[in-house]
Structures are given as structure tokens and as C-alpha cells.
């Protein structure tokens, strides 16, 4: 059973595990509440107020920011990235992964690869045959 860790620098669990002719994909899931707390702590540490965040991101209401801090919602990807830049940190440092990650079994991975290889081989044979007839 071979386990490969990805991506580099990720503190959470992201791995693939061989399962016969398929594989199990284990990838991290964001803990929304803990991420909200982390976001709030980082803003407090840098003395950034919700009003400053609102102005920087051009949000209509402060409620969105309070929802993020309370773990009711997450910022959009664009807002998350802009906020991480504003705070001078990487997005990965603001995100807290859930301890129990989601697992997905990807079946027939080998068969799909074999079908692709056979299709490529078929195209190659057709090209060789066409070249031989010319």
C-alpha cells in the first residue's frame, strides 16, 4: 500500500492510497468554524478591524465579515485571497483543515488508463498505415 503526500507544505491530510485497480483519494476538508476563528485571531493580531476589511474588499455590509469570524460562512475565493494579501499571510495559514478528511474511491483507474493507451496506440497504427500507403 503506497501513500503519497500532496501538496508540499500542506499540514492536513491529502494522500492517495492504492486500492486494487483503483485508488482512494483522501483530501482535506476545511473546518469552517475553526477557520473563522483563525481569521478573526489573525485580524486581531494585526489590529485590522472588520470595517477596514469591508472597505478593502468593497463589501456592502459588515455582516459578511462577522459571519466569517463566527464560522457561519467562508469568504469567496477571491475575497479570501485578497484578505490574505491584505493581512500579509498565505491563505494556507488562515485555513484550518477538519481532522476527519473526506475519502473518495476512484474505481477502475487502471482500466481507464489502459483504454487511453489503447486509443493512442490505435491512432498511432492508423497514422503508420496512412504513411505506408502514401
Amino acid at each position: 500500500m503506497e501513500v503519497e503526500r500532496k501538496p508540499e507544505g500542506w499540514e492536513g491530510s491529502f494522500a492517495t492510497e492504492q486500492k486494487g485497480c483503483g485508488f482512494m483519494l483522501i483530501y482535506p476538508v476545511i473546518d469552517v468554524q475553526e477557520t473563522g476563528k483563525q481569521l478573526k485571531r489573525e485580524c486581531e493580531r494585526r489590529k485590522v478591524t472588520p470595517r477596514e476589511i469591508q472597505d478593502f474588499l468593497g463589501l456592502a455590509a459588515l455582516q459578511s465579515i462577522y459571519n466569517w469570524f463566527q464560522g457561519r460562512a467562508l469568504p469567496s475565493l477571491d475575497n479570501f485571497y485578497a484578505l490574505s494579501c491584505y493581512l500579509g499571510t498565505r491563505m494556507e495559514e488562515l485555513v484550518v483543515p477538519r481532522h476527519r478528511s473526506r475519502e473518495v474511491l476512484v474505481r477502475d483507474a487502471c482500466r481507464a488508463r489502459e483504454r487511453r493507451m489503447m486509443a493512442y496506440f490505435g491512432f498511432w497504427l492508423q497514422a503508420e498505415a496512412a504513411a505506408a500507403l502514401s
Side-chain angles (χ1 to χ4, degrees):
M1 174 171 31
E2 183 180 321
V3 176
E4 177 185 341
R5 292 282 172 201
K6 295 177 187 176
E8 211 168 290
W10 179 257
E11 302 301 322
S13 170
F14 182 89
T16 57
E17 182 178 314
Q18 192 69 37
K19 294 280 188 183
C21 201
F23 62 92
M24 179 72 70
L25 177 64
I26 304 167
Y27 62 94
V29 177
I30 296 173
D31 186 321
V32 178
Q33 287 189 329
E34 290 302 314
T35 297
K37 291 176 187 176
Q38 175 68 12
L39 186 56
K40 184 177 181 180
R41 279 191 299 268
E42 193 63 29
C43 289
E44 289 172 347
R45 186 173 82 80
R46 296 182 184 270
K47 298 181 179 15
V48 174
T49 66
R51 174 69 68 192
E52 291 171 327
I53 295 170
Q54 178 189 16
D55 291 342
F56 178 73
L57 296 176
L59 300 175
L62 282 169
Q63 192 59 43
S64 296
I65 299 162
Y66 292 123
N67 284 339
W68 301 342
F69 288 172
Q70 294 168 4
R72 293 187 185 142
L74 289 173
S76 69
L77 186 57
D78 287 340
N79 285 340
F80 217 133
Y81 179 68
L83 186 55
S84 70
C85 291
Y86 187 72
L87 295 172
T89 186
R90 295 175 38 213
M91 286 176 54
E92 293 85 2
E93 294 171 9
L94 298 174
V95 174
V96 178
R98 220 184 288 162
H99 292 292
R100 290 174 36 170
S101 298
R102 201 165 80 186
E103 298 179 352
V104 177
L105 179 61
V106 180
R107 298 181 194 275
D108 302 327
C110 294
R111 289 187 199 112
R113 183 175 47 231
E114 288 171 0
R115 282 193 302 269
R116 281 193 312 271
M117 289 175 63
M118 292 303 289
Y120 295 143
F121 183 66
F123 291 136
W124 178 78
L125 285 176
Q126 286 177 344
E128 286 293 312
L133 293 175
S134 324

